[in-house]
């Protein structure tokens, strides 16, 4: 359309033209709406209108009475529905259903999908429900993955120690290997051993999300490293920037029912409301800087030029657990799919780990500390062990930090297992009761 | 819809550009400043096609900059409510899909996708009819109707629908 050639042109006149067109189009659509409203108000009018429309249609189309009639009624129904739009969500401050401009700030912003997309709570609930059915049909659950210390470890280049300098020359290209120096920021990233196999196998059982406390840019860079072909995560990468609460992670941005979500993270405190969904991971500290961050004074894996073991490292262990959970959820539970709860399954499996152990603690909790609230006590109970404060013959393990305490000596005398608290932690991370002799107290002394 | 219109703008030019190439510099700067921007009134400026008239320059006190009123012809693109557009799908998810028509970002919610099309997750998420004959996925071309628009300083957002006659996929990248 060229106005410049066939009309006297001023910028103002073209403005007017745009405004005119806009007005026209609006008035047309509102007029047609009005018409429909009138039809709905007045029953007799509807009849006559319908008849008229039908006649028109018949004259155009082949006479297909029943179908044309039905479609017409459906149209009418649809138009009445449209009049009371529920405004389920917003894109660019417009309702996604009727296109009306709305400036209220309700609902949750899904910034990781599109910065302008905001959905109301009802719509989220609806999406969760429909998506859940869809997913269960494909025998899948949801899995939310943390990045740092769970799937990978990053360090800033300036934090590399002199013993780590050799890494600079070892970085790989994007396609293979798992040590990267990023072009876009001064960082080096090491993927956890086994992570590629892990993602590949987990993707058959789960719809996966990334949820990191890093910022948006970092999150998408890491997603590129983990998933260069974009086959695992698609757009499901959530970063600190989109999070709805500061310093906390939540499932409100994850479009899945809580009863079917599992979380892998190394920081329990990040998920205060979703501890039942959480599988706690052993921290992956490859670089010296992250060892320092968590207060370890030992040499880092990078300095020792070693790494986690691939076939029985943390990711391989947790993959086995995930498989087991998936298997129980879909094949062993007898209830209706809709009422099955993955949190329950997780709990049951965890309870098997230290089943049959009766534990007594010595020199582990500070005096005056309520023993039942201590993390070790809770951890042991979650793993299926019974904890006690009284010495009696049914006790199987004494967990102690000192060989000289009364209870420790009792354990030696009665030939009970005497172990360090690390034994419980190890069982928690590895999902298996660990050989007690690896955690005996003598070893501490020798070291 | 595209329009070929005349717009006016006051251009400020640094004194270093004064000389033989003043006009060229002015036009180059105009193109750099205007092309690719949006205004709520006119929409997205696609390209400048010609200069209508350059007015007298006014020297500004203190800075030495000169302000020229420039009238220029340009092609603008502005979506309207009720308009039918063809767009390329950029992202598909369970809420619906996003599409682009040049600078315009369009969202089509799953409420406004025909009911017989169902979301399929996987590495290439898509909406497919039950018989599998029609598929909307990334890079598909769709014909849609605009039901709401919002024009920002640099971006244009639209709500679209494909739940109407003659709307939907017009070209599927997978089949070609």
């Amino acid at each position: 359309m060229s106005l410049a050639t066939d009309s006297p042109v001023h910028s103002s006149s073209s403005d007017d033209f745009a405004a005119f067109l806009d007005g026209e189009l609006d008035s047309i659509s509102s007029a047609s709406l009005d018409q429909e409203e009138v039809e709905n108000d007045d029953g007799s009018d509807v009849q006559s209108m319908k008849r008229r429309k039908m006649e028109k249609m018949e004259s155009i189309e082949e006479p297909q009475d029943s179908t044309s009639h039905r479609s017409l009624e459906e149209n009418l129904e649809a138009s009445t529905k449209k009049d009371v739009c529920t405004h389920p969500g917003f894109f660019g401050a417009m309702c996604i259903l009727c296109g009306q401009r709305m400036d209220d700030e309700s609902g949750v912003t899904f910034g990781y999908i599109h910065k302008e997309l905001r959905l109301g709570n009802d719509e989220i609930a609806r999406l969760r429900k429909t998506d859940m059915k869809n997913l269960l049909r494909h025998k899948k659950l949801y899995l939310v993955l943390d990045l740092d210390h769970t799937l990978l470890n990053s360090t800033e280049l300036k934090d590399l120690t002199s013993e780590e300098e050799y890494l600079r020359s070892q970085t790989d290209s994007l396609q293979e290997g798992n040590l990267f120096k990023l072009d876009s920021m001064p960082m080096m990233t090491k993927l956890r051993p086994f992570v590629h196999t892990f993602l590949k196998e987990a993707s058959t059982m789960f719809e996966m999300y990334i949820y990191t406390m890093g910022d948006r840019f970092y999150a998408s860079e890491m997603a590129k490293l983990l998933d260069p072909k974009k086959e695992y995560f698609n757009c499901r990468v959530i970063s600190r920037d989109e999070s709805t609460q500061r310093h906390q992670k939540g499932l409100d941005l994850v479009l899945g029912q809580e009863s079917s979500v599992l979380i892998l993270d190394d920081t329990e405190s990040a998920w205060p409301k979703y501890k039942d969904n959480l599988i706690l991971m052993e921290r992956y500290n490859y670089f010296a800087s992250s060892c320092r961050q968590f207060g370890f004074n030992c040499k880092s894996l990078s300095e020792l030029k070693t790494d986690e073991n691939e076939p029985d490292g943390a990711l391989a262990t947790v993959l086995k657990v995930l498989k087991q959970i998936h298997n129980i959820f879909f094949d062993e539970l007898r209830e209706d799919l809709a009422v099955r709860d993955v949190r329950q399954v997780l709990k049951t499996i965890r309870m098997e780990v230290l089943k049959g152990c009766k534990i007594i603690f010595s020199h582990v909790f500070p005096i005056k500390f309520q023993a039942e609230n201590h993390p070790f006590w809770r951890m042991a109970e979650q793993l299926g062990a019974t904890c006690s404060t009284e010495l009696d013959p049914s006790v199987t393990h004494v967990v102690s930090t000192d060989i000289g305490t009364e209870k420790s000596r009792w354990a030696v005398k009665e030939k009970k297992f005497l172990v360090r608290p690390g034994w419980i932690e190890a069982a928690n991370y590895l999902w298996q009761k660990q050989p007690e002799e690896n955690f005996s107290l003598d070893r501490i002394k020798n070291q | 819809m595209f329009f070929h219109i005349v717009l006016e703008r006051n251009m400020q030019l640094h004194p270093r550009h004064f000389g033989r190439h003043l006009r060229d510099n002015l036009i180059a700067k105009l193109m750099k400043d205007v092309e690719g921007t949006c205004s709520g009134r006119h929409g997205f400026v696609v390209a400048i096609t010609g200069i209508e008239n350059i007015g007298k320059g006014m020297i500004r006190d203190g800075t030495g900059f000169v302000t020229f009123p420039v009238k220029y012809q340009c092609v603008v693109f502005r979506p309207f409510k009720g308009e039918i557009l063809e767009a390329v799908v950029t992202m598909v998810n369970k809420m619906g899909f996003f599409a682009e028509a040049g600078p315009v970002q369009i969202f089509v919610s799953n409420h406004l996708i025909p009911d017989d099309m169902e979301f399929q997750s996987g590495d290439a998420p898509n909406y497919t009819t039950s018989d599998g004959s029609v598929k909307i996925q990334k890079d598909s071309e769709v014909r849609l109707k605009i039901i709401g628009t919002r024009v920002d300083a640099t971006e244009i957002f639209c709500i679209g629908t494909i739940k109407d006659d003659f709307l939907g996929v017009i070209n599927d990248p997978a089949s070609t």
Side-chain angles (χ1 to χ4, degrees), chain A residues 7-18:
Chain A
S7 70
V9 188
H10 305 287
S11 65
S12 61
S13 81
S14 57
D15 279 358
D16 292 347
F17 184 67

Side-chain angles (χ1 to χ4, degrees), chain A residues 273-336:
Chain A
K273 286 191 220 137
Y274 303 97
K275 291 211 165 101
D276 293 341
N277 303 73
L278 178 67
I279 298 178
L280 198 62
M281 295 288 292
E282 191 178 0
R283 284 214 169 91
Y284 180 55
N285 294 317
Y286 182 74
F287 294 108
S289 64
S290 85
C291 285
R292 254 177 282 136
Q293 188 191 340
F294 291 104
F296 295 118
N297 267 328
C298 50
K299 293 251 174 204
S300 69
L301 292 170
S302 58
E303 286 169 323
L304 298 169
K305 300 197 182 183
T306 169
D307 206 345
E308 267 188 18
N309 202 344
E310 185 137 334
D312 57 3
L315 284 175
T317 314
V318 86
L319 183 64
K320 270 183 226 144
V321 178
L322 290 177
K323 276 184 184 160
Q324 200 184 349
I325 294 172
H326 186 267
N327 196 17
I328 293 182
F329 190 92
F330 284 104
D331 298 337
E332 290 181 19
L333 291 187
R334 287 282 159 259
E335 304 121 294
D336 186 46

Side-chain angles (χ1 to χ4, degrees), chain B residues 2 34-37 44-48 74-77 103:
Chain B
F2 289 97
V34 171
E35 284 181 353
T37 60
F44 184 84
V45 179
V46 180
I48 292 171
C74 60
V75 176
V76 294
F77 178 73

